């Protein structure tokens, strides 16, 4: 229909330092699929690209790119670098079978190439590995290994499970099934989460401390929020989010038996299913995921623009 643009978004990950917004626009235009819009999320410390969101003219264009180019070499890039694409929202569907595992308790210095070398050393077939990082480019100590088929996945689990070489504090890696878990990297709105509320949290506790603790123990851990007062002082309160209710219950029981992060008044726990909470972006109360994607892009642009203004201001000083 004239004048109506179908909302068609893909997530693109593992961007290289030179892969700017302009680069991505030129790349896809040269491939015959011009983009309507691009948002690139950068490392807050180095300013280098981390991942991005792509908006195509039609759903068909987005699906063609996803099915035909995902995990294929990017034209003109040396050494060979492959596309890492995923759906973002419900507009574009990915009906391909997914064979993956969640790998946790990784040491902070472990990189994607280390995992790839490990699989080569163990003679295992790996399609690709995605290391989850924060917005400063620092590893969250877990990632997702993806395989071409179920046989390769099961063989990897049997060989890698219990491997100590890359584990933190001399402990083995934590390996869990992650069927469809790669959707977690796509920043989709309107997903149901399960929340654990902590009261009497020690004032010096940081969100990174909570990330380190929960991410290596629970595959469906999403993130943590430590609210602060208008005077920027800790409220001694924390919200811990999970995608699976089983992990929520396990975390509750674990902290009940062995309290962590509590102050002298003692840690208090409460399960609050689906409690609204802000994590990396503002809460989106939307009528549909299609509308949510459009607003998410605008929110990300706003954040990037504010950061650019702050950086210019600091340069002048």
């Amino acid at each position: 229909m004239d004048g109506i643009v179908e909302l068609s978004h893909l997530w693109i990950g593992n961007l290289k330092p030179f892969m700017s917004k302009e680069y991505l626009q030129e790349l896809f235009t040269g491939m015959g699929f011009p983009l309507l819009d691009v948002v690139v999320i950068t490392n807050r410390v180095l300013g280098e690209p981390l991942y991005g969101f792509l908006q195509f003219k039609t759903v068909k264009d987005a699906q063609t790119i996803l099915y035909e180019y995902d995990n294929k070499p990017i034209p003109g890039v040396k050494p060979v670098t492959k596309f890492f694409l995923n759906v973002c929202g419900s507009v574009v569907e990915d009906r391909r079978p997914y064979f993956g595992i969640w790998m946790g308790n990784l040491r902070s210095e472990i990189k994607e190439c280390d995992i790839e070398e490990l699989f080569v050393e163990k003679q295992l077939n790996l399609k690709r590995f995605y290391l989850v990082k924060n917005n400063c480019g620092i590893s969250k100590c877990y990632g997702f290994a993806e395989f071409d088929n179920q046989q390769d996945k099961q063989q990897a689990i049997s060989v890698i499970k219990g491997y100590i070489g890359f584990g933190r504090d001399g402990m083995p890696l934590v390996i869990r099934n992650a069927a469809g878990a790669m959707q977690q990297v796509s920043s989709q709105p309107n997903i149901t989460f399960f929340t654990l509320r902590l009261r009497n949290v020690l004032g010096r506790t940081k969100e990174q401390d909570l990330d380190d603790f929960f991410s290596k123990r629970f595959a469906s851990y999403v993130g943590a929020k430590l609210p602060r007062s208008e005077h920027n002082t800790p409220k001694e309160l924390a919200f811990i989010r999970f995608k699976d209710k089983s992990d929520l219950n396990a975390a509750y029981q674990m902290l009940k038996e062995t309290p962590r992060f509590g102050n002298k008044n003692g840690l208090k726990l409460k399960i609050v299913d689906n409690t609204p909470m802000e994590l990396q972006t503002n809460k989106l109360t939307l009528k549909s995921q299609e509308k949510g994607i459009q607003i998410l892009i605008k929110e990300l642009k706003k954040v990037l623009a504010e950061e650019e203004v702050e950086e210019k201001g600091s340069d002048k000083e």
Side-chain angles (χ1 to χ4, degrees):
M1 297 174 63
D2 294 339
I4 296 180
V5 178
E6 298 173 77
L7 293 176
S8 317
H9 295 279
L10 294 180
W11 175 93
I12 182 168
N14 287 350
L15 297 180
K16 302 303 179 183
F18 63 87
M19 294 183 177
S20 62
K21 174 179 179 178
E22 291 73 23
Y23 170 84
L24 293 174
Q25 288 175 325
E26 292 180 6
L27 173 66
F28 285 98
T29 297
M31 294 166 58
F33 298 90
L35 298 170
L36 290 178
D37 204 355
V38 185
V39 172
V40 174
I41 306 303
T42 59
N43 182 316
R44 288 191 175 184
V45 177
L46 302 176
E48 296 177 347
L50 293 172
Y51 58 91
F53 297 90
L54 311 174
Q55 183 179 2
F56 294 85
K57 288 185 175 181
T58 66
V59 170
K60 183 179 179 180
D61 284 353
Q63 287 178 325
T64 298
I65 288 292
L66 178 65
Y67 289 134
E68 295 187 9
Y69 291 93
D70 182 35
N71 206 42
K72 300 295 193 300
I74 300 176
V77 177
K78 300 293 182 180
V80 174
T81 300
K82 295 182 179 181
F83 281 108
F84 191 174
L85 302 168
N86 202 349
V87 296
C88 178
S90 62
V91 178
V92 181
E93 295 184 10
D94 187 355
R95 298 180 180 178
R96 299 172 298 174
Y98 175 81
F99 308 100
I101 59 175
W102 180 88
M103 300 178 64
N105 197 38
L106 294 168
R107 296 202 310 271
S108 59
E109 68 270 20
I110 298 300
K111 301 178 180 179
E112 284 96 342
C113 60
D114 297 319
I115 299 297
E116 292 167 356
E117 290 174 3
L118 173 64
F119 276 79
V120 171
E121 177 186 327
K122 300 293 184 181
Q123 297 183 336
L124 298 170
N125 297 321
L126 175 69
K127 181 178 180 180
R128 60 187 171 195
F129 179 77
Y130 178 76
L131 182 66
V132 180
K133 304 173 184 177
N134 64 18
N135 54 14
C136 292
I138 299 174
S139 169
K140 286 193 172 184
C141 301
Y142 67 93
F144 298 91
E146 189 176 353
F147 307 90
D148 288 318
N149 53 62
Q150 184 68 16
Q151 182 178 350
D152 288 346
K153 171 184 172 179
Q154 291 304 128
Q155 185 178 4
I157 291 176
S158 63
V159 174
I160 300 297
K161 193 171 185 178
Y163 181 74
I164 298 178
F166 291 159
R168 301 158 73 185
D169 304 321
M171 300 295 289
L173 298 180
V174 178
I175 306 297
R176 296 180 181 174
N177 181 54
M182 283 303 297
Q183 301 299 330
Q184 294 182 15
V185 304
S186 299
S187 299
Q188 301 177 51
N190 293 342
I191 298 175
T192 298
F193 295 114
F194 302 97
T195 304
L196 177 62
R197 187 182 69 191
L198 313 183
R199 287 193 179 277
N200 296 337
V201 176
L202 196 62
R204 64 171 178 267
T205 302
K206 299 178 181 178
E207 290 181 3
Q208 185 63 52
D209 299 328
L210 299 173
D211 281 345
D212 291 342
F213 181 78
F214 288 99
S215 65
K216 70 178 183 180
R217 292 170 171 82
F218 302 100
S220 73
Y221 171 72
V222 176
K225 182 68 178 178
L226 288 166
R228 302 182 74 85
S229 70
E230 59 182 6
H231 301 296
N232 200 33
T233 57
K235 287 188 174 182
E236 300 184 343
L237 183 68
F239 293 97
I240 315 299
R241 268 191 170 180
F242 305 88
K243 288 190 69 177
D244 294 333
K245 195 168 185 177
S246 59
D247 278 351
L248 168 76
N249 294 329
Y252 175 86
Q253 192 62 35
M254 179 184 66
L255 291 177
K256 187 176 180 180
E257 295 175 357
T258 309
R260 298 286 298 268
F261 309 111
N263 60 24
K264 62 181 181 180
N265 295 321
L267 191 67
K268 293 184 178 180
L269 310 173
K270 184 175 182 179
I271 293 176
V272 190
D273 289 2
N274 308 328
T275 299
M277 178 185 74
E278 295 179 354
L279 288 173
Q280 300 300 327
T281 58
N282 292 333
K283 174 191 173 187
L284 301 176
T285 305
L286 308 167
K287 294 182 179 180
S288 65
Q289 284 194 348
E290 289 81 359
K291 183 67 175 178
I293 297 169
Q294 193 175 42
I295 294 179
L296 177 60
I297 296 294
K298 292 181 180 179
E299 289 290 321
L300 291 171
K301 283 185 175 181
K302 182 178 179 181
V303 171
L304 294 175
E306 290 175 351
E307 290 182 355
E308 185 177 351
V309 171
E310 290 178 0
E311 290 176 359
K312 290 181 178 179
S314 60
D315 291 341
K316 292 180 180 179
E317 293 177 0

